[in-house]
Amino acid sequence: MAFSTTISSSYLPRLYSQLSAHDAVAETKPRVCLSNAASSVVQRGLSYKAGFPSHLEKKELYNFKVSASVTADVSTPEVSIKDLIVKGDTWSIHKFGGTCVGTAQRIQNVANIVMDDISERKLVVVSAMSKVTDMMYDLVEKAQSRDDSYIAALDAVYEKHKLTALDLLDGDELNSFLSTLGRDVTHLKEMLRAMYIAGHPTESFSAFVVGHGELWSAQMLSCVLRKGGVDCTWMDTREVLIVNPAGSNQVDPDYEESETRLDGWLLKNPSKVVVATGFIASTPQNIPTTLKRDGSDFSAAIMGALFRARQVTIWTDVDGVYSADPRKVSDAVVLNTLSYQEAWEMSYFGANVLHPRTIIPVMQYDIPIVIRNIFNLSAPGTKICRTPVTESEENQKLETYVKGFATIDNLALVNVEGTGMAGVPGTASAIFAAVKDVGANVIMISQASSEHSVCFAVPEKEVKAVAKALEARFQQALSVGRLSQVAVISNCSILAAVGQKMASTPGVSATLFNALAKANINVRAIAQGCSEYNITVVVKREDCVRALRAVHSRFYLSKTSIAVGIIGPGLIGATLLNQLRDQAAILKEKSNTDLRVMGIIGSTTMLLSDTGIDLSKWKELQKEKGEKADLEKFVQHVHGNHFIPNTVLVDCTSSTEVADHYHNWLHHGIHVITPNKKANSGPLDKYLKLRALQRQSFTHYFYEATVGAGLPIMHTLRDLLQTGDKIIKIEGIFSGTLSYIFNSFVDTRAFSEVVVEAKAAGYTEPDPRDDLAGTDVARKVIILARECGLKLELSDIPVQSLVPDPLKETASVDDFMQQLPSFDADIAAKRKAAEDAGEVLRYVGVVDVKNQKGTVELRRYNKQHPFAQLSGSDNIIAFTTERYNKQPLIVRGPGAGAEVTAGGVFSDLLRLASNLGAPSY
């Protein structure tokens, strides 16, 4: 016997009361049993239709069988209503923030995203339209301040929503929404008028007013979805979500009561798509309240937990969670996955991820959160879950150990110290009780194992109150000396490194602090929990961004990047720029090294760039965009105005004035590379200060090209010294110009003729006397002597000049060249004497370490000697040491020319990159 029956509304509460006695999800389809034990039983299959809203009439979800015994009277049915409530992974949660629903077009985009989601059931949590929450808070502020403009401000809110609705809706939906909007605004004006008169709103009044932004955006979106053919309803979450005040401007969800209310709501509203208000809720007494700032994300997470949803997607305006703030680190990357704990740590330390409490509700049910960009749907976003997917073992990289970095600015350190603290129970408790009493928030705590001191970080705006409270609390201890001080260190920032695998990876801390040290960053305090999910350091506020870039770069979340400033784009400098241009792509590909030229300065003009100069056309750019040269401004730009943590200045001049700046640059954490000999061969006291500063810091000073151009002279000497060898003598032909001249000064050729030839070939300086005087060789000798530990001045080196005395004061180069032939006979006689003895002439520099002296002179060598075997402009250097005593260690090769000198400087640049973390290849 088939029949249809209806359950009256008065019966619903009694049916609903049976919910708690049954499981949330039934394994079988819903069944309702009607029975009468006193009657004879006739079992039949019945078609049953409950008197719920029309949405339940969809057969694919809500048809079910009823088995009944039919007699003269029908007893009260035993109904399993819990089975009518569908939860679980058929639901997906979407949350759209104010920016996502900020305009009519964006609300339509949100509707399109929801309709494109193939999930069987969807809950969409929305914030108020962009800026509306601030506007609503402003209304409350104006009203309680008795500012009559609150009326005009509320009218502006009304117009904003009215115009949006007119763009999106039409017909009955539009009329219905505008009617609701108008009625709400009328009620709000009455409430605000009451606040205006009272001059003081209650918290519930404020929450009621402010929450209207979410109510209106939820209603508009649900109307748009219905207009698109979606079976949709909207939820005022104040009817469902119950929270209890938790102090410190926070609330705690009452999950048990909220779930009970949600079940009741779903019975009455069984739509497959629900648009819910974010941010707002109710107290257990049904008084309106909010989830405070960032509450919409929290709402979505709570709903995800209540629905046992498959996934919660937070839609925002970024591609996901970044490894660092992209506004501070230009090469920050989007992380594919994060664990709950990693996301929690990063959000706590200021990363633009989620509020830490947002993660708590979903963790219990292992519901993943996905951060997506509504303006870039092609970006997959970041998935936050319990066990993130990692690469295979052989492909794991450092980013699987340290996921990202976050910072908190505007902090101060408070340091409480004294010998009377050690071993005294309750001292820490008393300290933090005093801090609690002033309502200050402690961000980080660090205590030495000696118990001699406790330091902690608090927001800078709270530090005066904290210090005052501590001095009052420990007044007696301070007066008698048990505590020595309560010290405040202002202008601090926190840098946190976060990663779940740090706990099982040795060396993470060492790598972090090594990167900070190499960036010349001083660490004020350190904290690390036993879980090792984060390592926290406190640095100066002005160092924070540079520290962030340094550690981010070191862990390969971005390239090993170095900001390069070229000083002196002459022959060597221009050649170096061309070499950098040709090699840049290879360096990025093979060693992930980015040598980015941020500035080029000459004697009159300079070229600056915030992102890096295009080296394929630097000369043209210098002409078009060059500005007046200013070395101080140049250094400040290269070192400070970009996203690169490491800075190097490459001095390709021969200027003493530029060399005098090296000490100051190194002191400020700027690396220096140079072929300029003036600093290392200048006054001894300046040299010693420069080298002492270099040894005391992690700032590098490289000068390979000062002695052998592209030959590894300095590198070889350092290796010998550092491995414990003792240098006896260094002897060499250090001038490529003079090597060419004496290699060519053979047979009957005149000396002046060879000098003219060398000048024409570009081997000499514009004035050949600069080469023939031997001063350049003497500078190389003094550099090597000082590297060996000899404390010699340039004036201590006797130099045999090849410039005839009468020509030293000749006014012009042309006059010198014209008069030089008249002195050929003297040098020709020396050549003949050497040839008669089977020898050759060579102009050499000698460092006699054993006798602690150096010389520069013209010497004769047997034709079988290595020095006699040279050709062209080659240099040769012989190291006689305790290990290489019978047979000196010889380094030989081209020692002059722009290409090899620039190559030596380039080699130093790559050595610097390697020391800063770039891999070798």
Side-chain angles (χ1 to χ4, degrees), residues 414-424 426-428 430-432 434 447 451-456 467 469-487:
V414 180
N415 186 44
V416 182
E417 65 178 62
T419 55
M421 292 174 59
V424 179
T427 302
I431 290 172
F432 293 112
Q447 180 175 4
E451 300 183 65
H452 177 70
S453 68
V454 175
C455 79
F456 53 93
L470 288 172
E471 287 169 354
R473 172 65 179 79
F474 294 102
Q475 182 178 7
Q476 183 179 358
L478 287 166
S479 63
V480 299
R482 290 200 306 274
L483 291 185
S484 58
Q485 65 172 343
V486 175

Side-chain angles (χ1 to χ4, degrees), residues 41 74 221 253 262 311 361 385 403 405 551 557 630 642 691 693 744 780 789 815 834:
V41 179
V74 179
L221 178 58
L262 174 62
Q311 177 174 291
C385 53
K403 280 294 184 69
F405 304 90
V551 296
L557 295 173
D630 182 333
H642 49 78
R691 292 305 305 277
L693 177 62
S744 303
K780 295 179 180 180
D815 289 344

